[in-house]
Amino acid sequence: MSKRLNSYIGIGVSCLLLTVAGCKAPATLGRSENKNVPAAYNTTAVQDSVNTGKMKWKEYFTDKYLVALIDTALVKNQELNITMQEIEISRNEIRARKGEYLPFIGLKGSAGFDKVARFTNIGAMEANTEIKPGKEMPEPLQDYSIGAYATWELDIWNKLHNAKKAAVSKYLASVEGKNFTVTNLIAEIANSYYELLALDNQLAIVKQNIEIQGNALEIVKLQKLAARVNELAVRRFEAQVLNTKSLQFDIQQRITETENKINFLVGRFPQPVERSTATFSGLVPNMIHTGIPSQLLENRPDVKQAELDLVAAKLDIKVAKARFYPSLGISAGIGYQAFNPSYLIKPESLLYSLAGDLAAPLINRNAIKAAYYTANAKQIQAVYNYERTLLNAYIEVANQLAKISNTEKTFDLKSKQVEALNQSIEISNDLFSSARADYMEVLMTQRDALESKFDLIETKMKQMNAMVNIYRALGGGWN
């Protein structure tokens, strides 16, 4: 007898050891993120905690037409509204995860009948069984029941709570994703708006040059009649006028496309875009305060989104790891059951149950291991994505700072170039009228002056774009 008992004990201990060994989870393969950033954006920058990115967008952009466009886009833009639904989906995921670690309670009722074959063990027993003395078992046997049942998985390893926390992090990440969408949307509308103003000014310059070149053409025609120039000069001036006139249609096409781009961002069908009529070259970019690079961690929505995704990925590893451990579930039920509805309210019809289940994976854990290694791989992905997002944010600010400085210097030089060429036009016309300059000098001077004015407007547009993009790069726009 003692040998048999020892055998049972040995078998039990072996099973327990196998269970413990089977519940052991593989080592975590995660990677820690690097949050270090340089102390400044360049070696000559003065460190200042004041940050333009914290300004509200309505304080940063003061053009009333631009503000109206952004206000409309924040309500009607389709991409932004799609992102808002992503937030709602993430919120519902939290609700679902929260329900998993709470008890499930339900009500159940049923009705039916059962006719068992006579020549079976159950049929023979029912045929020889009396419900009461002198009252046989009814045939077919009816069955009625009503009751409540409950199931509950005890979250002893915090698997379900960690899953809920991961869902919360993903929800918060989706909110930051929406903020990043808002930031980009505002920047894209502002850039397109300033491009539209630049095109308006270029079109005005073209029309002004058409008038100037037309006057020069009439002078050349008069000089031909006076035999001071030949037909070649007339044709060259005429070709110059026609070329300049063709430019205005190219610009008008670009205006139409830019207006429709803005209309698309605003979420409406094509229509004229109201805009400022002020001189574009006279616009002055806002003063920029970049703050310190570490502020990107709290200002940039995409950096915050990547950080929250990383938090969720770490929690997903804990959830996957908990699947290697035993799970404990409790189930219970209470109700009434009888073969006649009139008996349901009698105490003899009462039934109840209570059970506990303990289950642990032992053999063939490939699916659990695969899920665990996948969670580890996604965590490492999230780390690299976070570091890449942070690096990209820093580089974007550094690039726009350099662009602001360089375009400012370029604009000053281009302004002097335009002024010099405008004077050259007057000088060349005077020299040509007095036969002291060739007509080709006049043509080349007019062409260079037109190109320089175009370049000046392009440079001013780059200045305004840099002003918009540095605000976006610093994390401004969503607040």
Side-chain angles (χ1 to χ4, degrees), residues 23 34 38 42 47 60 98 143 153 183 187 218 240 305 313 324 330 352 384 386 409-410 413 419 466 468:
C23 293
N34 180 13
N42 54 64
Q47 292 193 24
Y60 192 75
K98 183 178 180 181
D143 184 31
E153 181 180 351
T183 296
E218 295 301 321
Q240 178 77 358
Q305 181 184 16
F324 288 96
I330 297 175
Y352 53 85
Y384 284 123
Y386 174 78
K409 297 172 183 176
T410 302
L413 295 174
E419 183 179 356
V468 173

Side-chain angles (χ1 to χ4, degrees), residues 196 199 203 246-260:
L196 193 58
L199 291 171
L203 184 60
S246 69
L247 288 177
Q248 66 179 336
F249 297 105
D250 292 335
I251 296 173
Q252 286 174 349
Q253 177 61 28
R254 290 177 61 190
I255 289 175
T256 299
E257 292 178 359
T258 306
E259 279 188 322
N260 287 339

Side-chain angles (χ1 to χ4, degrees), residues 421-476:
L421 286 172
N422 284 337
Q423 295 174 355
S424 297
I425 290 177
E426 296 179 4
I427 294 172
S428 65
N429 287 337
D430 292 340
L431 292 175
F432 179 69
S433 299
S434 60
R436 295 168 60 190
D438 184 71
Y439 71 88
M440 287 300 298
E441 293 180 287
V442 177
L443 288 175
M444 293 302 296
T445 302
Q446 290 180 350
R447 183 179 304 170
D448 291 343
L450 179 60
E451 290 179 355
S452 67
K453 291 176 182 178
F454 271 37
D455 290 342
L456 183 65
I457 295 299
E458 290 284 345
T459 304
K460 173 57 68 173
M461 185 178 71
K462 290 178 180 178
Q463 263 192 309
M464 302 307 294
N465 288 344
M467 181 197 77
V468 173
N469 292 333
I470 189 66
Y471 180 61
R472 184 194 68 82
L474 290 170

Side-chain angles (χ1 to χ4, degrees), residues 259 263 268 270-275:
E259 279 188 322
N263 286 321
R268 66 191 185 189
Q271 58 182 274
V273 175
E274 287 189 289
R275 50 194 180 269

Side-chain angles (χ1 to χ4, degrees), residues 11-270:
I11 294 172
V13 171
S14 300
C15 291
L16 181 61
L17 292 174
L18 285 172
T19 302
V20 172
C23 293
K24 185 179 179 181
T28 302
L29 305 176
R31 181 177 180 273
S32 298
E33 70 277 11
N34 180 13
K35 293 186 176 182
N36 296 326
V37 292
Y41 292 106
N42 54 64
T43 55
T44 60
V46 178
Q47 292 193 24
D48 186 3
S49 60
V50 178
N51 194 311
T52 302
K54 294 183 178 181
M55 289 180 62
K56 297 184 182 298
W57 67 266
K58 284 191 176 181
E59 297 174 359
Y60 192 75
F61 299 110
T62 56
D63 189 312
K64 64 178 183 179
Y65 299 107
L66 176 57
V67 170
L69 289 171
I70 295 174
D71 273 331
T72 305
L74 294 179
V75 176
K76 295 185 177 181
N77 180 264
Q78 287 85 358
E79 182 180 358
L80 181 58
N81 284 310
I82 290 172
T83 305
M84 295 295 292
Q85 295 308 308
E86 292 292 335
I87 295 177
E88 186 63 26
I89 292 170
S90 298
R91 184 184 291 117
N92 291 330
E93 182 68 18
I94 296 175
R95 187 179 293 114
R97 293 296 184 183
K98 183 178 180 181
E100 288 182 354
Y101 61 77
L102 298 175
F104 291 89
I105 301 175
L107 296 175
K108 180 173 66 174
S110 64
F113 64 89
D114 187 19
K115 171 63 174 70
V116 182
R118 174 66 178 80
F119 299 109
T120 62
N121 58 342
I122 297 178
M125 289 174 60
E126 290 183 353
N128 295 292
T129 302
E130 293 182 345
I131 300 173
K132 293 180 179 180
K135 187 173 183 181
E136 297 180 354
M137 183 76 71
E139 187 179 2
L141 183 64
Q142 301 180 41
D143 184 31
Y144 300 93
S145 67
I146 185 171
Y149 65 93
T151 59
W152 185 23
E153 181 180 351
L154 299 180
D155 194 18
I156 54 179
W157 309 111
N158 280 330
K159 177 181 70 174
L160 302 179
H161 280 78
N162 285 330
K164 183 230 176 182
K165 291 179 181 178
V168 171
S169 294
K170 292 174 184 176
Y171 163 74
L172 296 175
S174 67
V175 173
E176 295 299 337
K178 183 269 295 183
N179 292 339
F180 191 55
T181 300
V182 170
T183 296
N184 288 328
L185 176 62
I186 291 175
E188 194 170 359
I189 291 175
N191 282 329
S192 298
Y193 180 79
Y194 289 126
E195 181 181 357
L196 193 58
L197 295 184
L199 291 171
D200 287 342
N201 277 259
Q202 286 181 344
L203 184 60
I205 291 172
V206 167
K207 291 179 178 179
Q208 183 181 5
N209 273 265
I210 290 173
E211 183 178 354
I212 293 173
Q213 292 172 2
N215 293 334
L217 176 60
E218 295 301 321
I219 293 173
V220 171
K221 287 180 177 179
L222 293 175
Q223 289 185 341
K224 180 198 171 187
L225 294 176
R228 296 179 58 184
V229 297
N230 54 28
E231 181 67 15
L232 178 60
V234 175
R235 293 303 179 188
R236 291 299 298 268
F237 269 89
E238 188 176 13
Q240 178 77 358
V241 173
L242 293 173
N243 179 67
T244 305
K245 285 183 177 180
S246 69
L247 288 177
Q248 66 179 336
F249 297 105
D250 292 335
I251 296 173
Q252 286 174 349
Q253 177 61 28
R254 290 177 61 190
I255 289 175
T256 299
E257 292 178 359
T258 306
E259 279 188 322
N260 287 339
K261 179 182 178 181
I262 294 174
N263 286 321
F264 176 77
L265 294 172
V266 172
R268 66 191 185 189
F269 285 98

Side-chain angles (χ1 to χ4, degrees), residues 272-342:
V273 175
E274 287 189 289
R275 50 194 180 269
S276 173
T277 57
T279 303
F280 183 69
S281 58
L283 294 178
V284 179
N286 296 343
M287 180 69 68
I288 301 297
H289 299 280
T290 60
I292 54 179
S294 60
Q295 290 176 327
L296 293 173
L297 299 175
E298 59 183 30
N299 288 352
R300 289 267 303 211
D302 57 334
V303 174
K304 294 163 70 176
Q305 181 184 16
E307 184 178 12
L308 289 165
D309 284 335
L310 180 56
V311 172
K314 291 179 179 178
L315 290 168
D316 285 339
I317 291 178
K318 294 182 178 181
V319 173
K321 189 174 184 179
R323 294 180 62 189
F324 288 96
Y325 305 138
S327 61
L328 177 61
I330 297 175
S331 60
I334 186 171
Y336 292 90
Q337 185 174 17
F339 61 82
N340 191 314
S342 62

